[in-house]
Amino acid sequence: MTIQENSIVRQRDKETYAVVPHVPCGVITPDTLRKIADVSEKYEAAALKITSAARIAIVGLKEEDVAKAWEDLAMVPGQAVGKVVRSIKACPGTTFCSMAKQDALTLGMTLDEKYHGMELPSKTKMSVSGCQNQCAENCIKDASLAGTKNGWTLMAGGIGSGRPRLADIIAENLETEEALAMFDRLVTYYKENGKKLERLGRMIDRVGLDVVKAAVAGEKAAA
């Protein structure tokens, strides 16, 4: 297995490392959980940490054990650092949750398969929520979809950092295929127009929300 640097994180002690296997939308099987536990015990990891991206980081590995741990895991690495799509967070949606209005988990898996690890101007976080409770934290994600009884709401520009920014609504009441198409146009516009290390929300502030809305809708912005 090729080890991706974006999935290996040097720790505070500057001697040990964390590795971050990919767990799409936070859904994991008992067998995979056992494998992670076995590898952690074998290489005497300091801790297992459930991350904000709903993955499980194996923390405190010695440098000489990192490659062997990845080989034993035989899992796709998660994108933990770098100018890439880091994660797609999804709530249980109509698959499991009685409050959900839309199938967030299936749509989240679709986005994960297409965008996880994609190189973009800056780190990018995505999410899908099945209702307006937005358990997947749409308001602070770069690009997201939230379900309502009338379809999907596309949101963009959220940033949960020291200089936070709430996401803007780009479009509402979208059918699933339309939502996926507009989501893709949003990502493409950001890829083509974002400056290096510029988060999507900062790009929206720079070029204007109406310009981004028009591009995502496949139109030209009004002069």
Side-chain angles (χ1 to χ4, degrees):
M1 167 178 280
T2 299
I3 299 174
Q4 300 182 19
E5 291 184 359
N6 286 358
S7 304
I8 304 169
V9 185
R10 194 179 188 187
Q11 298 301 283
R12 187 180 182 88
D13 60 13
K14 298 183 180 180
E15 295 180 355
T16 63
Y17 295 81
V19 300
V20 189
H22 186 42
V23 180
C25 295
V27 178
I28 192 167
T29 66
D31 285 345
T32 301
L33 276 173
R34 291 188 190 95
K35 183 191 296 184
I36 290 173
D38 289 345
V39 169
S40 300
E41 288 186 340
K42 180 177 179 179
Y43 296 106
E44 300 179 338
L48 291 173
K49 174 68 175 72
I50 297 175
T51 72
S52 61
R55 295 191 285 239
I56 302 175
I58 303 175
V59 181
L61 296 177
K62 299 180 182 67
E63 183 175 4
E64 61 269 23
D65 290 335
V66 169
K68 292 179 288 187
W70 274 123
E71 184 177 352
D72 288 351
L73 286 166
M75 292 177 65
V76 173
Q79 300 295 311
V81 296
K83 301 190 298 293
V84 296
V85 176
R86 301 280 186 88
S87 63
I88 293 84
K89 195 169 186 176
C91 77
T94 52
T95 307
F96 300 110
C97 180
S98 62
M99 298 185 68
K101 306 300 182 184
Q102 300 293 335
D103 187 357
L105 199 52
T106 296
L107 194 59
M109 289 292 192
T110 298
L111 296 181
D112 185 278
E113 185 175 349
K114 183 169 185 177
Y115 297 110
H116 176 246
M118 177 183 284
E119 292 188 10
L120 290 173
S122 186
K123 69 177 181 181
T124 302
K125 298 182 179 183
M126 301 175 175
S127 71
V128 186
S129 292
C131 77
Q132 287 303 299
N133 284 338
Q134 296 185 17
C135 292
E137 302 172 331
N138 298 55
C139 62
I140 56 170
K141 294 295 188 284
D142 296 273
S144 67
L145 291 164
T148 71
K149 65 180 182 179
N150 297 317
W152 294 100
T153 299
L154 175 62
M155 303 169 66
I159 304 172
S161 67
R163 189 158 65 99
R165 183 189 191 280
L166 292 177
D168 296 301
I169 293 177
I170 304 298
E172 298 179 275
N173 302 328
L174 304 172
E175 297 291 335
T176 297
E177 291 305 315
E178 184 182 20
L180 287 170
M182 293 186 75
F183 195 98
D184 194 59
R185 287 197 289 271
L186 172 66
V187 173
T188 299
Y189 186 86
Y190 174 49
K191 189 172 186 177
E192 294 176 349
N193 295 278
K195 295 181 179 180
K196 184 178 180 181
L197 297 179
E198 181 180 53
R199 295 289 292 272
L200 199 157
R202 308 300 179 210
M203 183 200 71
I204 292 174
D205 292 338
R206 175 171 58 82
V207 305
L209 180 59
D210 288 343
V211 173
V212 175
K213 283 185 176 181
V216 172
E219 303 169 353
K220 291 184 178 180

